[in-house]
Amino acid sequence: MRPDNFAIDNCLKCSVCNAACPVYAVHPQYPGPKHLGPELERLRLEGLDADTGWVEYCLGCHRCDLACPQQVGVSEMIARAKARHRKPLVRALRDWWFARPGLLGKLTTIVPPVSNFFLRLGPVRLLMSKLMRITRRRIFPAYTRPTLRTAASGAKQRVLLFPGCFLTYNRPDLGRKTVELLERNGFAVEVAQTGCCGVPAIANGDAALARGLAEKNLAVMAENLAAGMSVVTACASCGYQLKSGFGGVLEGNPRLEPLAHRIGAQTYDIAEFLRALSDAGKLNTGFHTVNRQVAYHAPCHLSSQGIGRPWVHLLRQIPGVSVNDVNAGCCGMSGTYGFKEEKYQVSMGVGQGLFESLKALRPQQVATECATCQMQIEHGTGMHTVHPIEILLEAYKGRPN
Amino acid sequence: MQSNRFDAIVMGAGLSGLTAAAVAAAQSRRVALVAIGAGAFVLDAGCVSANEARQLSAQPDFEDAIAFICKATAAAGCALDADLRSPRRIPSLLGGFEGVSLAPRGVWKAAYSAGARTAIAGFGGMSGFDAEFLAERLNNHARAHGLAPVYTAKIVALPSDLGTPLTTLRIANRFDRDAGFRAALASALREAATGFDRVLLPSVLGLHSTDGQLAGFEREVGCGLGELATLPPCIPGLRVYNRLLAALRGRGVEVFEGYPADLLEIADGVCTGLRIASPGRGLLLHADAVVLATESGSRALLSEFTGSCDERQHPLSPSGAPIARNLFAALLPQAAESKPDGHAGQILAGYRAAVCACAERGEYAAR
């Protein structure tokens, strides 16, 4: 995939993208990435109105891009069409909120126990489903006060942690574990006071918001970037977004585009960062034995980072751990997608293959680094799912977290 | 073990790259497969024409290469069947016969058979496939070749919720994920098969199904089934790709999909690494041997590459010297003159390149 390449003439209409598309596989009417991307792009580039509600159904999983033998940036064409698409009022309102997990986090964490209690109530969920088209079959992840802060450390090597919304508002404990993991490998961790990475904004068709978030985040990190600090993420979607220069939303901005490329070059997925340490012989390998069969699911946005499966390498270094890379496709959650009433069935249909594979494997633990993949796996299989960071930390400590 | 060090890196996931990766994996090497999507063989089922097989029959290693890929695909549950001595007459979508020496099992089983009363099943509402046209044309062709006309069209009704437009891909997806649909299709085909020895149908039998699963489906239908390769993407080709890739992963091959290589590190006649153009910094992989199994990709990486290679599969520079001693190209020597650029040539070239590459040390061999 070459994200800067929009030459639609590269598309040979071979339909390999359709064959790779998880939504095309389960929705009988979905026209597929070939049509929504390059085919309609021809019309859109001519200035014709080729708007269609089907663009809302794109998961943004990038599987079409990765499968395309001609490296056509299919999903980015669809994302841009999504940004121009006009939705009916209710869906537009709902997606306005879904594009802003940061704002949602800030509001709900003013009084977290109250909002968590409230969001779990059956009647509230029924009301949300009727009024806002948010499925009542799912429960929002619990929100908590943002307590993830930079802690003092004597270590010389410093890294910047880009926490993202989930570590900030839902799992600051996982954020602290991420910090501890890096500290145990000799790094002082500075927690960036950044906001949302912008993936939910792009997924919900709000390019202007994504641009604004990218600008703010770059301003916050500019000094650290100039100092050459590595940026580490524990969320695959945040990682992809930073590495792709914020999904290309700053293209053409003479001041910020070079900075966006710079952050791309300095960003590491946490597992990629640790794997590099391991390859250099610098990983702290003081692991205790953890006797466990782990099934690992690679999130789509980890695959689209093009770095292989770094967690598989890391987990296999723990004595007693056996890792099965499930490789059963997209989970179907795609962030906020699975919460949308009209997309719930598609979301669960897409996840079916993964659910069945996991149930057949019957692992002792399921691990994946994406928060919403975790939610979906737990929803679809009932299997408790952890971030692989937690297994690594458990091996350092020699006891469950 | 260093995660980015391999015994062999194979670039390209067409028939040559997949063959090369399978050869190296079969020798227990630690292999990285770098690919931007499936090879072109998924567009046409990956059959080998009898003509090409004949042209290559004198080439050294040819029979070994074909035997190897047949065995490797069979082990992966997506057998390619071959007979280099007596090619089969495989019906084409346009109603002719093609002499074929190797094909995915489902397509191979669609070969003309004089004694077999054959129903051609068409699906109501499906675009791009006309069973009546096909049966009539095939019968005409058979008569023209002095063969018995054995084909009869049968229209099969499928459930109405399969989607629009109804394509082989939609049906194949449904076949993969819905046991109820498989049962309904089996029963519809069983009905169509009444009075016939076998049924040919457009290729819809799943993108991921194994030969074993398809044999079970055939038992349910109660007679032999043959698949007719349809318009791209061609389901039997995709199935071979999916299953073979899954089998390679199972053997420890690491697959890096989606981004091309943009740099080959070569110093003092030795290739030390290959960089994948993934977002951000790119990813550098190192290996004892690198196999280039994509022609356009190889040319983009090697400005001095002449397009030919020596008998050890080393790509040559304009001076006629190998570009690097551990760099191998899945190309047949003097490809420019004889130009056997079909699928058999790719299998042979991938096989040879990997055999030569595996003669390298392989110190990171999978342990």
Side-chain angles (χ1 to χ4, degrees):
Chain A
M1 175 176 58
R2 222 162 31 211
D4 60 339
N5 186 348
F6 290 106
I8 45 178
D9 285 345
N10 281 358
C11 173
L12 302 177
K13 293 183 176 281
C14 68
S15 299
V16 167
C17 54
N18 284 352
C21 175
V23 179
Y24 189 89
V26 304
H27 197 307
Q29 264 72 46
Y30 184 65
K34 179 179 77 166
H35 181 68
L36 297 176
E39 268 181 12
L40 288 183
E41 192 75 356
R42 281 175 198 280
L43 306 182
R44 295 189 284 253
L45 288 178
E46 294 285 334
L48 296 167
D49 180 24
D51 189 25
T52 161
W54 286 117
V55 291
E56 282 186 55
Y57 279 80
C58 169
L59 289 161
C61 67
H62 305 150
R63 284 177 187 267
C64 49
D65 304 331
L66 299 187
C68 176
Q70 296 293 109
Q71 301 173 67
V72 176
V74 184
S75 71
E76 204 167 324
M77 287 179 199
I78 302 175
R80 292 189 305 167
K82 216 185 231 186
R84 285 195 297 267
H85 170 62
R86 300 188 74 81
K87 287 175 260 195
L89 183 66
V90 174
R91 288 216 299 275
L93 266 174
R94 175 199 63 193
D95 291 358
W96 189 91
W97 279 106
F98 276 170
R100 290 165 175 78
L103 179 63
L104 208 62
K106 269 184 202 145
L107 291 179
T108 44
T109 54
I110 295 171
V111 271
V114 178
S115 31
N116 288 335
F117 173 74
F118 190 69
L119 285 171
R120 274 164 198 268
L121 287 178
V124 173
R125 278 158 48 207
L126 180 64
L127 210 62
M128 288 204 303
S129 125
K130 295 284 177 226
L131 296 179
M132 294 188 72
R133 307 279 292 143
I134 296 173
T135 181
R136 59 191 288 215
R137 284 165 283 200
R138 293 191 197 270
I139 294 175
F140 274 86
Y143 287 90
T144 180
R145 278 185 200 286
T147 51
L148 188 59
R149 299 267 184 278
T150 303
S153 162
K156 278 198 189 122
Q157 284 177 292
R158 293 161 64 225
V159 290
L160 189 66
L161 173 67
F162 183 92
C165 298
F166 190 72
L167 293 195
T168 304
Y169 297 111
N170 302 100
R171 291 285 309 275
D173 64 308
L174 185 61
R176 279 189 291 279
K177 285 175 187 166
T178 311
V179 171
E180 185 179 346
L181 206 56
L182 289 161
E183 283 175 348
R184 280 175 181 265
N185 280 283
F187 289 88
V189 183
E190 191 172 319
V191 180
Q193 297 303 303
T194 41
C196 175
C197 68
V199 162
I202 291 176
N204 286 288
D206 200 334
L209 175 65
R211 205 169 301 122
L213 290 168
E215 286 172 11
K216 272 187 207 159
N217 286 331
L218 279 178
V220 171
M221 293 187 285
E223 219 170 280
N224 294 312
L225 288 174
M229 260 169 104
S230 296
V231 181
V232 174
T233 69
C235 165
S237 296
C238 293
Y240 176 80
Q241 183 74 347
L242 299 190
K243 286 182 175 187
S244 64
F246 292 97
V249 291
L250 296 175
E251 263 169 42
N253 181 326
R255 190 171 56 86
L256 293 178
E257 199 181 340
L259 207 54
H261 284 292
R262 175 145 199 181
I263 197 169
Q266 284 174 230
T267 300
Y268 293 80
D269 179 84
I270 174 102
E272 182 190 14
F273 189 78
L274 296 173
R275 179 181 66 178
L277 286 183
S278 164
D279 284 349
K282 292 176 184 165
L283 182 76
N284 171 1
T285 51
F287 297 125
H288 293 83
T289 299
V290 178
N291 286 315
R292 195 166 302 157
Q293 292 164 291
V294 177
Y296 168 75
H297 162 70
C300 295
H301 288 177
L302 188 276
S303 298
S304 54
Q305 289 184 37
I307 53 173
R309 299 276 194 270
W311 272 121
V312 173
H313 282 277
L314 290 167
L315 293 176
R316 282 187 179 150
Q317 295 190 32
I318 303 171
V321 168
S322 70
V323 188
N324 201 323
D325 181 2
V326 184
N327 207 33
C330 176
C331 77
M333 188 65 183
S334 183
T336 55
Y337 188 102
F339 279 103
K340 299 176 181 176
E341 186 74 65
E342 73 282 8
K343 301 190 176 76
Y344 176 80
Q345 288 300 346
V346 179
S347 164
M348 293 303 283
V350 169
Q352 183 195 329
L354 176 61
F355 305 153
E356 285 170 5
S357 298
L358 285 171
K359 284 176 187 165
L361 275 173
R362 299 164 57 93
Q364 288 166 311
Q365 188 152 53
V366 184
T368 184
E369 59 261 57
C370 169
T372 61
C373 293
Q374 285 173 24
M375 279 181 224
Q376 175 81 332
I377 292 170
E378 294 188 346
H379 184 65
T381 65
M383 295 175 173
H384 177 56
T385 305
V386 300
H387 195 300
I389 280 176
E390 302 182 70
I391 303 177
L392 212 60
L393 201 58
E394 184 184 338
Y396 279 136
K397 290 178 172 171
R399 59 181 159 77
N401 292 295
Chain B
M1 180 179 75
Q2 288 201 302
S3 66
N4 58 352
R5 295 211 73 101
F6 296 88
D7 295 317
I9 299 171
V10 176
M11 198 177 97
L15 277 176
S16 55
L18 291 171
T19 306
V23 167
Q27 299 197 20
S28 301
R29 301 306 170 99
R30 183 154 191 257
V31 183
L33 181 64
V34 178
I36 44 166
F41 75 95
V42 303
L43 306 183
D44 61 0
C47 300
V48 167
S49 75
N51 268 340
E52 197 202 0
R54 202 164 34 245
Q55 276 176 36
L56 290 173
S57 57
Q59 289 267 355
D61 306 328
F62 181 57
E63 292 198 5
D64 290 349
I66 296 295
F68 173 83
I69 196 67
C70 289
K71 202 174 145 203
T73 47
C78 56
L80 292 170
D81 289 330
D83 187 337
L84 297 179
R85 299 210 163 49
S86 43
R88 304 292 194 268
R89 284 192 182 89
I90 304 285
S92 78
L93 197 59
L94 290 174
F97 291 105
E98 285 167 15
V100 165
S101 295
L102 173 149
R105 179 158 292 170
V107 176
W108 189 251
K109 284 165 61 182
Y112 176 83
S113 165
R117 291 164 301 160
T118 305
I120 295 186
F123 301 134
M126 199 181 84
S127 59
F129 185 87
D130 186 333
E132 279 163 6
F133 166 84
L134 195 55
E136 188 187 323
R137 295 264 299 169
L138 286 174
N139 283 335
N140 288 343
H141 263 98
R143 286 189 199 98
H145 286 88
L147 303 169
V150 295
Y151 298 102
T152 308
K154 297 289 277 185
I155 303 301
V156 170
L158 292 179
S160 59
D161 61 345
L162 286 170
T164 44
L166 187 56
T167 60
T168 51
L169 188 53
R170 286 211 195 269
I171 305 175
N173 275 321
R174 185 71 175 265
F175 186 90
D176 274 332
R177 57 192 304 274
D178 184 348
F181 172 72
R182 289 194 293 272
L185 181 62
S187 123
L189 289 173
R190 191 161 53 235
E191 204 173 301
T194 314
F196 293 94
D197 300 313
R198 62 175 188 156
V199 177
L200 306 189
L201 71 164
S203 53
V204 296
L205 303 178
L207 300 177
H208 300 275
S209 33
T210 63
D211 294 332
Q213 286 163 338
L214 292 182
F217 182 75
E218 203 171 44
R219 279 193 296 278
E220 235 178 284
V221 175
C223 76
L225 294 177
E227 287 186 281
L228 297 161
T230 55
L231 293 174
C234 195
I235 307 302
L238 279 170
R239 195 185 301 140
V240 168
Y241 177 73
N242 288 335
R243 300 259 28 126
L244 198 49
L245 211 57
L248 289 173
R249 279 198 167 103
R251 297 205 62 153
V253 173
E254 280 193 52
V255 182
F256 296 86
E257 195 183 26
Y259 300 95
D262 65 350
L263 178 78
L264 269 176
E265 280 188 347
I266 297 175
D268 301 328
V270 179
C271 178
T272 54
L274 172 143
R275 190 177 67 197
I276 301 172
S278 47
R281 290 170 306 281
L283 180 70
L284 193 61
L285 305 178
H286 301 283
D288 286 347
V290 174
V291 176
L292 303 176
T294 139
E295 198 176 341
S296 57
S298 314
R299 285 180 193 277
L301 283 174
L302 293 168
S303 53
E304 74 232 91
F305 182 32
T306 55
S308 59
C309 55
D310 65 11
E311 73 287 353
R312 298 291 301 157
Q313 301 298 136
H314 293 117
L316 300 175
S317 67
S319 68
I323 293 170
R325 66 164 177 75
N326 61 342
L327 185 62
F328 304 87
L331 274 178
L332 299 181
Q334 294 94 40
E337 291 113 65
S338 58
K339 207 74 188 164
D341 53 359
H343 296 138
Q346 290 169 11
I347 293 168
L348 174 58
Y351 178 81
R352 272 196 199 154
V355 167
C356 294
C358 286
E360 291 290 310
R361 290 173 300 163
E363 68 181 88
Y364 302 100
R367 284 169 276 253

